[in-house]
Amino acid sequence: MKKETVSNDSLKEKIEEILTPYPDPMSRNDFRIVCQIGTRTSLYLLQSGIVPCKNNGKKTRCYKIAKKDVAEYLYRRESDPMRYTPPSGWYYNYPKHKKPAASLERKLNYTGEERLLAKEWYEQQLANYPDVLTVAQVCKVTGYQRRTILKWLLKTILQTPKYRVPKVWLLEFVTSDFFNEISRKCGRHYAAIKEISSSRKAR
């Protein structure tokens, strides 16, 4: 605990040192330079409200970001970088200023019947798969890459030299709150959400 506290204090001091030369509030360009992010990423963070800012409505130099909010963003990004990653399609659609996050259904409503519908949908997707899947098969079902699958630390049975994932455990995972709350979903995941939501509306 003491080591973790020291580490957190050190990070805060480092962030404070980085921000010292900049004005308060900061411009978007200063924000981008300090955080070492691109123009499109900075716009996503500000336009989505993930990083609070004031917009004066001008065509240029319209954003003002408080230093404390920049510091908070830098601090939290260290422990949860995925939270601040733009959704799939943001960079591709940026020139036309489209916001795919607004048009895509980003997650299912698990307070209603959609968790059951999700389970039924994934059961159909897994119908022709064996009772124990390889990581490659899990990648195909979910749409996520091998490195991401392994990082999630799914309950696996290790059979050297390959991982094996029981179908029942995978089904439990893809209908879990964790899977549903992933902030940066892959195209396959968004497609699944759309199909599951459509099946609910059709009933």
Side-chain angles (χ1 to χ4, degrees):
M1 181 64 75
K2 185 176 180 181
K3 183 177 180 181
E4 182 178 350
T5 302
V6 172
S7 178
N8 290 340
D9 290 342
S10 176
L11 176 59
K12 289 180 179 179
E13 289 177 2
K14 181 180 179 181
I15 291 172
E16 185 177 345
E17 182 181 347
I18 292 173
L19 292 174
T20 298
Y22 293 89
D24 190 10
M26 298 170 61
S27 67
R28 182 176 65 83
N29 191 53
D30 288 339
F31 169 65
R32 182 183 61 78
I33 294 172
V34 166
C35 300
Q36 297 182 346
I37 56 177
T39 299
R40 300 177 187 181
T41 300
S42 68
L43 285 172
Y44 166 73
L45 294 170
L46 299 176
Q47 291 178 2
S48 64
I50 293 177
V51 175
C53 68
K54 289 184 178 181
N55 186 340
N56 60 22
K58 295 181 180 179
K59 291 185 177 181
T60 59
R61 301 179 182 178
C62 57
Y63 294 103
K64 296 296 181 183
I65 312 101
K67 263 187 171 183
K68 64 179 180 61
D69 292 323
V70 178
E72 182 72 9
Y73 160 68
L74 288 171
Y75 180 76
R76 293 186 177 276
R77 188 178 69 176
E78 285 294 313
S79 59
D80 189 11
M82 290 300 292
R83 178 182 177 183
Y84 302 100
T85 304
S88 300
W90 173 262
Y91 297 108
Y92 176 78
N93 288 306
Y94 170 74
K96 296 182 179 180
H97 295 281
K98 294 181 180 178
K99 299 181 183 179
S103 59
L104 291 172
E105 293 185 71
R106 302 194 67 183
K107 61 182 179 180
L108 296 167
N109 177 20
Y110 277 172
T111 59
E113 63 175 331
E114 287 189 346
R115 190 189 298 272
L116 178 60
L117 290 174
K119 184 176 181 180
E120 292 176 353
W121 189 87
Y122 277 108
E123 282 177 341
Q124 293 177 1
Q125 303 303 307
L126 291 166
N128 295 325
Y129 284 89
D131 290 337
V132 180
L133 289 74
T134 64
V135 172
Q137 289 171 323
V138 175
C139 292
K140 186 175 181 180
V141 171
T142 63
Y144 290 95
Q145 297 180 358
R146 176 184 175 87
R147 184 171 60 180
T148 302
I149 298 296
L150 296 179
K151 188 183 294 184
W152 284 339
L153 298 178
L154 292 174
K155 298 175 181 177
T156 58
I157 300 175
L158 180 59
Q159 296 181 352
T160 306
K162 297 179 180 180
Y163 286 96
R164 293 290 187 270
V165 183
K167 185 191 292 187
V168 291
W169 289 354
L170 176 60
L171 187 59
E172 178 184 343
F173 178 73
V174 294
T175 55
S176 68
D177 290 328
F178 174 85
F179 190 71
N180 191 40
E181 296 288 343
I182 292 173
S183 59
R184 190 185 185 190
K185 296 178 173 65
C186 66
R188 171 66 174 160
H189 198 164
Y190 279 123
I193 291 174
K194 184 177 181 180
E195 289 187 33
I196 294 167
S197 296
S198 296
S199 68
R200 174 180 58 79
K201 296 172 183 177
R203 291 192 174 187

